[in-house]
Amino acid sequence: MNKLVFNSIAVERRSSIKVIDLFAGCGGLTKEQKSTWKYGTIRVAKDSCENLWKDNPCLNDLSEVFLADWEEELRDIPRGEQFSIKADLNDLCRIGRFEMTQKIVRYFRGLGFPVCRDFIGRIEVWIPKDEGNAILYNRYTLRPYYKDITDGWQIDVSHSGESRCSKKTLYEVDLDDHGFEVVVGTEVLRRKQVKQHHFQKYGGGCPIVNRYTKKMLNLSEPRSYDRNKYATKMKKVKDFIQTYLVISQFQDALDINILNNGALIEVKPSNIFMVDDKAKNLKYGDGYVGAIPRNEFSEHGPFTQPQPFKYFFVSLDSPKSNATRNRLYNIFQNGRDTSVVCKGDIETGTNRTFKRLGEYLTQPISWVPKLSLSYKSYDTALQELQQHLMDDSRFIPGTNYIAIIISEIHKDTQEPRLHEIYYRMKELLMKSKITSQVIYAPNIDNNSFGYFLPNIAAAITGKQFGMPWGLESLSQRNDMIVGIGASKQQGRRPYLGTAFCFDKEGQFREFDCCQAEDTEALGTSLKKALWQFCKEYQNPDRLIIHYYKKLRREEGEQIEMMLKQNDLQCPVYVVNMVTAVNDDLIAFDVSKNDFMPASGTYVHLRDTQFLLYNNERYSDYGKADILFPIKLTITSANTNTGGILTKEDTIDIITQVYQFCRLYWKSVKMQNVPITIAYPELVAEYVPHFNDEDLPEFGKHNLWML
């Protein structure tokens, strides 16, 4: 077994007995002050810390006290009576965590570095680097823990990304409040949180670069492609530890000793596992068994063929767009591109050869000229498409159609209305029971377009009810698997997407979508899907729900009530999944140059929480794209399991998740998120942009969003 380490260091307190300052609560706070109080303090309740009250009679008249771990944010908030008390922070480890948090924040702010909380409450330290007209900040997160992956204290350290900041202050620029953030001294605040004293002392702070501030301040944001993010993250973490944490000043400020000179904590071999080798295998149309679709799909063909279909083009009516459309037709049908390309005033010929689309699909494809639409302008595109689709004489009943939408709009365009056109095109086509495939026009002219074709072929296969590749080893359990993913976009209501009735081969039965707060609609859809599953497959052995967040108690109770209403007694397991790109703990394989563990590795973190790796590395020396792990938390959602997760169920559920990661058909590149989460997220991303903000019935029964 290879050597794995966590991005965490072991520490020990020089003394566990500390004097800490606690405060009583204070009434009469405004709504904004209450929010700041909640953000900047932790609540210590008598019923959960009885020994603290027993050892400190001065607290007897109080049912709760507070520790201020984010002191600068609380400068204007009144506090109740203060108590300085002694406590054993190894015994009161929750208080100990936040006392250590308080000292870390004090220390780095004392050095003049901005420090803030990230979205899950960890400390985020911003380390600056001058870039001329801007400042580049490398952001590092720190989180103390006690008896988590060690027998004592640890500090998890992660590099969470980069941010750029203008050197000009809000006093010096003219910006509306568009939701951007600012660096104000040693704080990072939303623009609306900036107060008068921030202007008096810091000129209101310096805006952080986002789309809006970048455009308004004419700031450049250099782009670079990091081919090995895993190794980069590892190096940055180790450099930060040696530069800022191992030094005596930091250890003295926290009154701790950092053990082993800051070496990363090794993962115990007993916590490292591997899925069964057969779970990695994928099957193709000619019977070949492999594991890497981007090397195999083109040669061995789809596992199951797509249903026969006819296709047509939708594109802008311009000489350039028409030429691009003709080139794509020749590539699809004939596998050749002999077009004349104009570059400036020079005309050059091309003679590129490709594998024809029909060869990828292992069946002939048919283009219908009279169905193609060349719309006059973006302003009229939707109206023209709607009128085009209303002419029923164009379409043959019972025939499958795919619209190939040739897009001139880059995904990073600064004009959102242009993006909306393509969302709405998909909606209009689905209402006419037509799926679609969007292709970015400049890619067609790219000399590397041959590498795009397998992705297009895989997506079209999935959209037309085929399987580009399938699983060789299938679960023998009759499980009903439900995936629930979410999308929250700025300025739009959050939506949930659901994928119901995945069977053990990875085939889905139905999609749906609803607003995130509409739990009743979600419950109704789940009940309907369960009834349909029982009708087709009889009662499930287990109901397994792949969820984008942790299940709340009331949600678990609703699921159990639904099972009772359907007279079912099966166990229910909920698997919460997040991609662990910037998470608190990631395991690195120090025996590899790129530090990425092999595909199928899973690491037991704590309780029922695991890290799972899916990538294209199957040997010690194999090369593969860098894919971060996903963090799984498996919980029982009903009383039929007795709250117990058996070893057999754990292995089975993790293996299922791993295999669903391997059935992502939007491209031939391996992904690290299971389709039970990824596909619903795509659905929830599209639907808020639809005119009706609802998923057309046709879209509930195919993979239109690939």
Side-chain angles (χ1 to χ4, degrees):
M1 188 67 72
N2 293 323
K3 180 181 176 182
L4 304 187
V5 298
F6 286 123
N7 53 316
S8 185
I9 56 175
V11 304
E12 65 178 6
R13 291 186 179 274
R14 293 170 181 171
S15 171
S16 66
I17 307 297
K18 301 289 184 185
V19 175
I20 57 174
D21 293 329
L22 300 174
F23 297 87
C26 182
L29 300 181
T30 66
K31 183 178 179 180
E32 183 179 359
Q33 287 175 327
K34 288 179 180 177
S35 175
T36 304
W37 180 271
K38 184 177 180 181
Y39 171 95
T41 67
I42 66 152
R43 176 177 175 268
V44 183
K46 182 177 181 179
D47 57 3
S48 60
C49 293
E50 292 181 356
N51 287 343
L52 183 66
W53 263 255
K54 182 180 178 181
D55 296 339
N56 296 276
C58 59
L59 303 179
N60 283 344
D61 294 335
L62 301 169
S63 61
E64 62 181 14
V65 287
F66 298 86
L67 185 147
D69 51 344
W70 293 86
E71 298 161 298
E72 198 164 333
E73 284 76 0
L74 298 170
R75 71 174 72 80
D76 298 326
I77 309 296
R79 307 179 190 181
E81 184 179 357
Q82 178 178 334
F83 304 91
S84 294
I85 63 174
K86 282 187 176 182
D88 186 336
L89 299 185
N90 286 353
D91 181 39
L92 300 169
C93 57
R94 179 172 175 269
I95 298 176
R97 281 180 56 198
F98 290 100
E99 181 268 352
M100 199 175 289
T101 296
Q102 180 190 67
K103 288 184 175 179
I104 293 172
V105 173
R106 283 179 186 173
Y107 175 77
F108 281 104
R109 282 182 168 171
L111 296 178
F113 296 149
V115 184
C116 62
R117 280 178 49 162
D118 75 354
F119 68 100
I120 59 172
R122 297 171 302 182
I123 308 158
E124 192 169 75
V125 179
W126 292 37
I127 305 297
K129 178 184 176 183
D130 197 303
E131 284 195 331
N133 66 339
I135 298 174
L136 172 68
Y137 288 99
N138 274 282
R139 308 192 314 271
Y140 294 88
T141 58
L142 296 93
R143 174 179 271 186
Y145 268 110
Y146 185 61
K147 289 190 175 179
D148 181 40
I149 58 172
T150 68
D151 295 328
W153 287 94
Q154 70 195 57
I155 298 177
D156 300 340
V157 184
S158 180
H159 179 254
S160 55
E162 296 178 347
S163 291
R164 279 180 173 79
C165 178
S166 169
K167 285 188 173 180
K168 294 183 178 180
T169 67
L170 291 179
Y171 262 146
E172 300 173 284
V173 298
D174 183 20
L175 295 174
D176 295 328
D177 181 4
H178 277 253
F180 60 90
E181 294 181 315
V182 291
V183 173
V184 190
T186 58
E187 295 179 82
V188 181
L189 303 173
R190 294 191 298 274
R191 170 62 183 89
K192 65 181 182 181
Q193 294 176 311
V194 177
K195 306 297 182 186
Q196 183 177 351
H197 66 266
H198 294 126
F199 278 100
Q200 292 171 339
K201 191 171 182 179
Y202 303 106
C206 300
I208 294 170
V209 175
N210 64 8
R211 279 190 177 185
Y212 168 70
T213 57
K214 176 182 174 181
K215 179 180 179 181
M216 297 300 293
L217 301 177
N218 195 28
L219 289 171
S220 61
E221 194 171 13
R223 288 192 173 192
S224 60
Y225 180 70
D226 187 351
R227 292 189 174 276
N228 195 338
K229 294 179 181 178
Y230 224 72
T232 300
K233 190 174 288 287
M234 177 71 149
K235 183 179 186 306
K236 286 182 179 291
V237 165
K238 293 177 76 171
D239 288 349
F240 179 82
I241 291 169
Q242 294 301 317
T243 305
Y244 294 101
L245 303 190
V246 172
I247 59 176
S248 59
Q249 296 93 320
F250 178 79
Q251 297 185 64
D252 292 343
L254 272 66
D255 197 27
I256 61 172
N257 296 320
I258 293 179
L259 306 180
N260 306 316
N261 196 34
L264 299 181
I265 296 172
E266 290 188 25
V267 183
K268 296 175 182 177
S270 60
N271 287 340
I272 304 173
F273 306 90
M274 179 67 71
V275 300
D276 189 283
D277 281 343
K278 288 185 178 180
K280 304 172 186 178
N281 292 342
L282 303 172
K283 293 173 66 176
Y284 298 91
D286 63 359
Y288 180 81
V289 176
I292 306 177
R294 65 172 164 180
N295 294 345
E296 299 156 355
F297 171 67
S298 299
E299 182 177 351
H300 301 288
F303 177 53
T304 61
Q305 286 184 316
Q307 292 183 2
F309 65 90
K310 298 180 184 294
Y311 74 95
F312 60 95
F313 294 110
V314 177
S315 60
L316 181 67
D317 187 6
S318 71
K320 181 180 177 182
S321 294
N322 293 339
T324 300
R325 182 191 62 196
N326 292 338
R327 300 181 76 190
L328 184 59
Y329 167 81
N330 281 321
I331 292 169
F332 275 5
Q333 293 292 140
N334 305 316
R336 294 180 67 95
D337 175 22
T338 57
S339 306
V340 172
V341 181
C342 295
K343 294 185 177 181
D345 296 326
I346 302 174
E347 289 189 348
T348 60
T350 66
N351 189 15
R352 301 184 295 169
T353 59
F354 303 87
K355 189 171 183 175
R356 289 175 295 185
L357 182 59
E359 292 178 292
Y360 283 105
L361 306 180
T362 63
Q363 67 179 36
I365 59 172
S366 175
W367 173 57
V368 186
K370 69 175 183 179
L371 284 183
S372 293
L373 170 67
S374 298
Y375 52 86
K376 304 300 183 210
S377 71
Y378 294 124
D379 292 331
T380 62
L382 294 175
Q383 183 181 358
E384 289 184 60
L385 178 60
Q386 190 167 25
Q387 291 177 344
H388 188 77
L389 296 172
M390 288 174 63
D391 186 353
D392 292 337
S393 65
R394 299 176 185 271
F395 301 97
I396 302 171
T399 302
N400 293 322
Y401 293 96
I402 290 184
I404 305 296
I405 302 173
I406 300 176
S407 167
E408 307 282 346
I409 309 303
H410 193 272
K411 63 180 180 180
D412 291 330
T413 181
Q414 296 294 312
E415 296 187 64
R417 74 175 186 90
L418 297 179
H419 277 310
E420 296 300 309
I421 291 173
Y422 291 102
Y423 286 121
R424 293 288 313 285
M425 280 185 174
K426 280 187 171 289
E427 181 186 18
L428 289 173
L429 288 161
M430 275 195 284
K431 287 182 175 180
S432 295
K433 299 182 180 181
I434 298 171
T435 193
S436 56
Q437 177 72 37
V438 178
I439 301 176
Y440 182 46
N443 288 343
I444 301 169
D445 299 331
N446 192 314
N447 286 332
S448 300
F449 187 63
Y451 294 104
F452 290 88
L453 279 172
N455 296 331
I456 294 169
I460 287 177
T461 299
K463 289 174 180 181
Q464 287 300 326
F465 309 100
M467 296 179 70
W469 51 88
L471 302 172
E472 183 194 35
S473 175
L474 304 175
S475 170
Q476 299 305 306
R477 304 287 291 273
N478 185 38
D479 292 333
M480 175 178 174
I481 302 170
V482 175
I484 301 175
S487 174
K488 186 176 182 180
Q489 301 167 60
Q490 187 173 0
R492 297 185 181 275
R493 289 177 292 188
Y495 271 72
L496 297 181
T498 54
F500 292 117
C501 292
F502 277 91
D503 63 25
K504 60 188 180 184
E505 293 187 3
Q507 290 280 41
F508 84 100
R509 292 292 176 264
E510 185 174 331
F511 285 119
D512 213 336
C513 194
C514 65
Q515 292 178 25
E517 66 273 12
D518 192 355
T519 54
E520 184 176 339
L522 182 62
T524 300
S525 297
L526 184 57
K527 188 184 298 184
K528 174 186 171 185
L530 184 60
W531 178 85
Q532 187 65 32
F533 184 95
C534 293
K535 181 180 177 182
E536 291 188 34
Y537 302 104
Q538 300 183 333
N539 290 356
D541 293 337
R542 296 175 300 193
L543 172 59
I544 300 174
I545 301 174
H546 295 176
Y547 212 20
Y548 73 101
K549 66 180 182 69
K550 289 184 178 179
L551 193 74
R552 299 196 307 268
R553 185 181 64 182
E554 56 268 27
E555 292 172 326
E557 291 172 350
Q558 288 178 359
I559 291 170
E560 189 152 13
M561 180 65 69
M562 178 198 66
L563 292 174
K564 289 179 179 178
Q565 290 172 350
N566 285 272
D567 195 27
L568 292 175
Q569 299 296 320
C570 68
V572 179
Y573 294 103
V574 177
V575 189
N576 163 240
M577 302 181 213
V578 294
T579 304
V581 176
N582 298 321
D583 215 334
D584 47 354
L585 281 181
I586 297 177
F588 297 84
D589 188 339
V590 294
S591 66
K592 307 289 196 323
N593 290 333
D594 59 13
F595 301 108
M596 189 174 68
S599 185
T601 301
Y602 62 99
V603 177
H604 184 206
L605 290 178
R606 57 183 78 91
D607 300 326
T608 59
Q609 197 170 82
F610 302 84
L611 287 175
L612 173 63
Y613 292 80
N614 177 58
N615 51 60
E616 294 174 352
R617 165 169 287 141
Y618 304 103
S619 68
D620 287 344
Y621 306 103
K623 290 186 177 181
D625 283 348
I626 301 301
L627 294 175
F628 284 85
I630 54 174
K631 186 168 72 174
L632 312 178
T633 305
I634 307 172
T635 55
S636 170
N638 69 346
T639 56
N640 289 332
T641 62
I644 297 173
L645 181 66
T646 67
K647 182 179 179 180
E648 180 186 0
D649 282 323
T650 300
I651 295 172
D652 214 19
I653 290 170
I654 291 174
T655 301
Q656 280 183 347
V657 172
Y658 175 76
Q659 290 188 302
F660 280 125
C661 291
R662 304 177 67 71
L663 291 176
Y664 186 81
W665 297 331
K666 192 174 173 68
S667 81
V668 294
K669 291 179 66 175
M670 196 60 69
Q671 301 295 316
N672 58 350
V673 179
I675 56 175
T676 44
I677 294 292
Y679 287 177
E681 280 183 358
L682 288 171
V683 173
E685 179 185 323
Y686 275 99
V687 169
H689 296 272
F690 290 169
N691 191 52
D692 296 339
E693 292 192 20
D694 193 19
L695 183 60
E697 188 64 28
F698 176 80
K700 296 180 180 181
H701 305 284
N702 75 11
L703 298 173
W704 57 272
M705 68 289 171
L706 294 183

